[in-house]
Amino acid sequence: MQRVFLCLDATFSNFVLMALERKKKYDLGIALGGGGARGFAHLGVLQALYEKGIFPDVISGVSAGAIAGVFIAAGHSPEDAFHIIKKYKFSAISELNIPKTGLLSSSKMKSSLLKKIQVERLEDLDTPMIVCVSNMLDGKAEYLSEGPIADIVQASASIPILFSPVKMNGKLYSDGGIFDNVPIKPLKKYCRKVIGVSISPIQKIEKLKNLVEVSTRMFQLVVNTRDRRKKCDLYIEPKELSNYEIMDTKHAQEIYDIGYKHVRDLVIDLN
């Protein structure tokens, strides 16, 4: 008799879980991870997903994923977003800073690249968007779905030490990848299915030539995405991206193609 009740309990639990899944607000969410210039791969991944008829109902992003994601959420196609973003070299979105809180300032990103977004606030985007940022004073991740796009995305992409934090509402915010480099967490509650895209496979290097390279390498090694694989219905991480430095924007087309070809060749079933 006990076995019968256990079976019934398990069946009832499965029924409840299925009912909860059906009630979730969104069908599909895509989380776009951080990784500097490797973010061009996000646009290749999204283009290939689009060609397979897979479109996100909501996007979460951090750092490079926040930049790529906000263009998509604003209504740009992945190919259009790629052609816009690749025009901006590293020097075009950063400038030397008095080294008090960071070696560089990323304010030029806000005044140039992010001006290509036609709306000013996250809540006004065509597709709902969540951006992960690190609250440096409180020591925690925050997932923002409302507020000024330029400030929030600039903060999300500000690698500590390399870039100065961004001040918002009396707090200092930096790269969200410190705490969550593939922001799956804010999607799990609202989405029936979740795709996670990591662009941060670790590569071996021969040497570090300057403080910028030391800073970006340290950040790359600190952020950890491995435990997130099991939390997704589909986890995408093109291993070939390890051949590209995270601050190297000269190989945008190659990086985009890696993301595109990787997903083009996948057999995807999200049912």
Side-chain angles (χ1 to χ4, degrees):
M1 183 64 71
Q2 185 177 9
R3 291 180 182 175
V4 173
F5 281 129
L6 287 173
C7 181
L8 288 173
D9 287 344
T11 301
F12 180 72
S13 296
N14 289 335
F15 174 79
V16 171
L17 287 173
M18 290 173 64
L20 289 173
E21 288 290 319
R22 287 195 294 270
K23 287 185 177 180
K24 288 191 173 180
K25 186 175 182 180
Y26 302 110
D27 185 54
L28 176 65
I30 293 182
L32 304 177
R38 295 176 182 178
F40 290 113
H42 283 315
L43 300 170
V45 165
L46 289 167
Q47 180 62 36
L49 288 173
Y50 280 19
E51 291 176 8
K52 292 177 181 289
I54 300 171
F55 301 89
D57 300 300
V58 57
I59 300 168
S60 69
V62 64
S63 199
I67 296 173
V70 79
F71 274 88
I72 301 304
H76 292 277
S77 71
E79 287 186 330
D80 286 344
F82 171 72
H83 289 300
I84 292 170
I85 298 171
K86 77 171 183 177
K87 294 178 182 178
Y88 291 83
K89 306 301 181 185
F90 180 66
S91 59
I93 58 173
S94 63
E95 56 189 344
L96 287 173
N97 193 35
I98 297 174
K100 182 178 180 181
T101 56
L103 296 172
L104 303 169
S105 168
S106 59
S107 59
K108 288 172 69 175
M109 179 192 302
K110 182 171 67 174
S111 62
S112 57
L113 174 60
L114 294 175
K115 277 200 169 182
K116 299 294 183 181
I117 304 297
Q118 298 300 307
V119 297
E120 295 183 356
R121 299 185 63 83
L122 285 176
E123 61 267 34
D124 295 328
L125 291 166
D126 293 345
T127 299
M129 177 82 189
I130 302 167
V131 178
C132 178
V133 295
S134 292
N135 185 323
M136 300 296 283
L137 300 184
D138 294 346
K140 64 180 183 179
E142 293 185 13
Y143 302 95
L144 306 180
S145 58
E146 297 180 349
I149 289 172
D151 289 335
I152 292 171
V153 174
Q154 180 193 355
S156 184
S158 292
I159 298 173
I161 301 176
L162 182 59
F163 291 109
S164 295
V166 175
K167 190 171 184 178
M168 296 187 293
N169 301 320
K171 301 284 188 177
L172 294 177
Y173 292 89
S174 287
D175 198 307
I178 298 171
F179 293 103
D180 192 350
N181 204 40
V182 182
I184 297 160
K185 181 180 177 180
L187 299 180
K188 292 293 288 183
K189 182 178 179 181
Y190 301 107
C191 299
R192 189 179 68 86
K193 298 288 183 179
V194 175
I195 296 174
V197 187
S198 168
I199 54 172
S200 294
I202 300 296
Q203 82 275 32
K204 293 182 179 180
I205 59 176
E206 297 297 326
K207 58 183 178 179
L208 294 167
K209 294 178 288 187
N210 53 53
L211 191 55
V212 170
E213 290 189 2
V214 171
S215 175
T216 55
R217 180 64 172 178
M218 179 183 69
F219 186 75
Q220 184 185 21
L221 295 176
V222 167
V223 298
N224 183 4
T225 62
R226 294 176 185 174
D227 64 335
R228 295 172 176 87
R229 184 179 298 271
K230 295 180 181 179
K231 298 178 181 179
C232 297
D233 298 280
L234 174 63
Y235 191 79
I236 298 168
E237 186 181 57
K239 298 300 182 184
E240 299 94 327
L241 292 176
S242 65
N243 297 321
Y244 297 88
E245 298 291 339
I246 67 172
M247 303 309 294
D248 181 4
T249 58
K250 297 191 298 292
H251 300 95
Q253 186 66 58
E254 296 169 37
I255 293 170
Y256 174 94
D257 290 342
I258 286 171
Y260 175 79
K261 292 174 183 177
H262 180 87
V263 174
R264 181 196 62 189
D265 297 335
L266 291 179
V267 177
I268 300 174
D269 184 2
L270 293 172
N271 295 321

